[in-house]
């Protein structure tokens, strides 16, 4: 049986954060979430134990969400990585066979690399197999010390190392595989005789080597996989590596990423071929992008499904569905529960929430559509507001299919506009409009002649009006065709 122990009790002081280090986010998962995900491929129904300590409640709550099968074990005082593993094994006396131990702060480890590590361990029948890497700058890491014959002899922490050992560039990644019985035995023999006064897991290796047990070093094919983050600057470095890795994979899968340096795609996102991701675009969570869809530039999509051939331009959208060949933006804000049908359109400066647009329905300009259903083929006039909130409760409005609503309408919920109905521009619609009817609700216009010259004498408006009226009168007297510029309607009857 295979078993995994993840060490996640440390505080991560240098993050200077209220959040425990392992819960910091990195392109769609937390640090510990990435480590957990990488174990799935080889776990084979084994156990997963996570050692928690600092921020234990937060870490437990997170595990409940992302890995409910993982069993948290509390290490009340952080007395070292060896102490942490000992607590995990003591809490699980049934653990036998292969035990994979992973530091919770090495999120770039690939699942394939871990699977290869486990494979090496099981085929060589080693007592312990350590994932190592050759790095340019080994500062702060445990060094792999070999004996004269080149055999793996021990891991020495930097602070306990001699100058000669510090010069070694082969480092301990913090990923190991042990044979459970050998691990248990040596954990019982750990001392705290080191610079930090802690029980080091790494000392298990030296003890096993001394006892003549076979130890194997498995080199990571890509040293960046073993990088950890101790502060936020290092975390940003890891994030950039992960971004490049994710973008490279999608480009190789047929996705066009115009500017990979400004494109941030969570590991949980999927894209179909010929999708185009324009610069400065963030695709997060459970987002999926259909074939040939174009997203961005300057767009953030969080848990959004984008259909094939849709375009989403300068948009911020959350928990929404954008249908095939639909068009969104520029400058749109789709809040949760927005659902657009095939070829539907959300245009410029439009906000939607819990709104359904049927196939081909359009809300092209300057509108708020909250708690509404808009039928297929319907066009909503510019500057429309679905007035969904009466100060106490939110209510829904429905506009039927193939309706034409005028510009600057207020639909005061709950209101129903029938199929094929029209509403007049500037209307406040508070009553249902039957199918095919025209809903109008506004005062008739009246023009008060000469108002500006009487009430605002001497202003630029009054001068302009006087000039226009003079020209008009002149032409009337000489029976000149007034032309389109000075044409004016007859005064209203007062
Ligand atoms: C450790 C290794 C070092 C290796 C490096 C790789 C030891 C002694 N050293 O050093 O050889 O090169 O990782 O990144 O193991 N933790 C607990 N309980 C504790 C202490 C730590 O759960 O009492 C957890 C931490 O939360 C962290 C992991 O163990 O996830 C590693 O601990 P950390 O203090 O970061 O060890 P390093 O000094 O990085
Ligand atoms: Ca570390």
């Amino acid at each position: 049986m295979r078993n995994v122990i993840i060490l996640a009790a440390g505080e991560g002081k240098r993050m200077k954060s209220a959040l425990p280090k392992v819960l910091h986010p990195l392109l769609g998962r937390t640090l510990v979430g990435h480590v957990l995900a990488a174990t799935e491929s080889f776990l084979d129904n084994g156990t997963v134990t996570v050692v928690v300590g600092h921020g234990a409640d937060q870490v437990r709550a997170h595990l409940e969400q992302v890995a409910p099968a993982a069993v948290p074990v509390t290490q009340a005082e952080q007395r070292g990585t060896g102490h942490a593993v000992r607590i995990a094994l003591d809490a699980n006396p049934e653990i036998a066979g292969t035990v994979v131990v992973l530091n919770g702060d090495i999120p770039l480890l690939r699942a394939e690399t871990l699977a290869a590590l486990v494979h090496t361990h099981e085929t060589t029948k080693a007592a312990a197999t350590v994932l190592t890497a050759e790095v340019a700058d080994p500062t702060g890491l445990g060094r792999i010390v070999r004996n004269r014959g080149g055999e793996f002899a021990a891991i020495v922490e930097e602070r306990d190392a001699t100058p000669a050992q510090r010069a070694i560039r082969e480092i301990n990644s913090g990923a190991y595989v042990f044979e459970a019985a050998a691990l248990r035995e040596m954990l019982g023999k750990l001392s705290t005789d080191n610079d930090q006064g802690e029980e080091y897991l790494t000392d298990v290796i030296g003890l096993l080597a001394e006892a003549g047990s076979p130890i194997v070093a498995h080199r990571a094919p890509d040293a960046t996989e073993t990088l950890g983050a101790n502060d936020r600057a290092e975390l940003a470095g890891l994030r950039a590596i992960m971004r490049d890795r994710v973008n490279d994979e999608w480009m190789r899968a047929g996705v066009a990423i115009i500017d990979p340096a400004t494109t941030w795609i969570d590991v949980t996102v999927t894209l179909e071929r010929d999708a185009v991701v324009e610069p400065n675009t963030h695709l997060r969570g459970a987002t999926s992008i259909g074939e040939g869809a174009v997203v961005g530039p300057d767009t953030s999509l969080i848990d959004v499904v984008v259909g094939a051939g849709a375009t989403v331009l300068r948009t911020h959208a959350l928990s929404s569905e954008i249908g095939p060949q639909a068009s969104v933006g520029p400058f749109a804000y789709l809040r949760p529960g927005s659902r657009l049908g095939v070829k539907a359109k959300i245009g410029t400066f439009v906000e939607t929430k819990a709104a359904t647009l049927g196939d081909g329905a359009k809300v092209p300009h300057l509108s708020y559509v909250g708690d509404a259903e808009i039928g297929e083929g319907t066009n909503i006039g510019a500057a429309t507001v679905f007035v969904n909130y009466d100060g106490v409760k939110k209510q829904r409005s429905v506009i039927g299919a193939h309706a034409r609503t005028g510009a600057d309408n207020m639909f005061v919920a709950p209101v129903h506009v029938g199929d094929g109905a029209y509403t007049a521009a500037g209307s406040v619609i508070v009553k249902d409009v039957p199918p095919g009817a025209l809903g109008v609700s506004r005062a008739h216009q009246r023009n008060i002649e000469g108002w500006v010259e009487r009430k605002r004498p001497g202003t630029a408006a009054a001068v302009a009006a006087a000039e226009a009226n003079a020209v008009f009168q002149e032409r009337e007297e000489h029976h000149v065709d007034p032309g389109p510029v000075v044409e004016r309607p007859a005064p209203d009857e007062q």
Side-chain angles (χ1 to χ4, degrees), residues 368-372 384-391 393-397 409-415 427-430:
Y368 173 61
V369 183
D371 298 303
T384 289
V385 173
F386 283 75
V387 183
N388 58 333
Y389 187 46
D390 63 8
K393 60 177 189 278
K394 302 240 165 84
Q395 298 187 86
R396 285 184 81 74
S397 288
N409 276 192
M410 301 288 130
F411 292 104
V412 181
V415 76
S427 290
V428 178
I429 302 294
V430 295

Side-chain angles (χ1 to χ4, degrees), residues 452-453 456-472 486 488:
V452 173
E453 282 166 82
R456 299 288 183 270
T459 63
V463 173
E467 277 173 11
N469 282 328
V471 170
F472 180 76
V486 290
R488 63 205 295 283

Side-chain angles (χ1 to χ4, degrees), residues 5 47 49-51 60 71-75 83-95 184:
I5 297 171
T47 65
T49 308
V50 181
V51 182
R60 279 171 185 271
V71 180
V73 170
T74 302
Q75 183 194 26
H83 179 249
V85 174
R86 192 150 62 76
I87 282 179
L89 284 180
D90 288 350
N92 294 282
E94 76 286 2
I95 286 181
R184 278 185 204 278

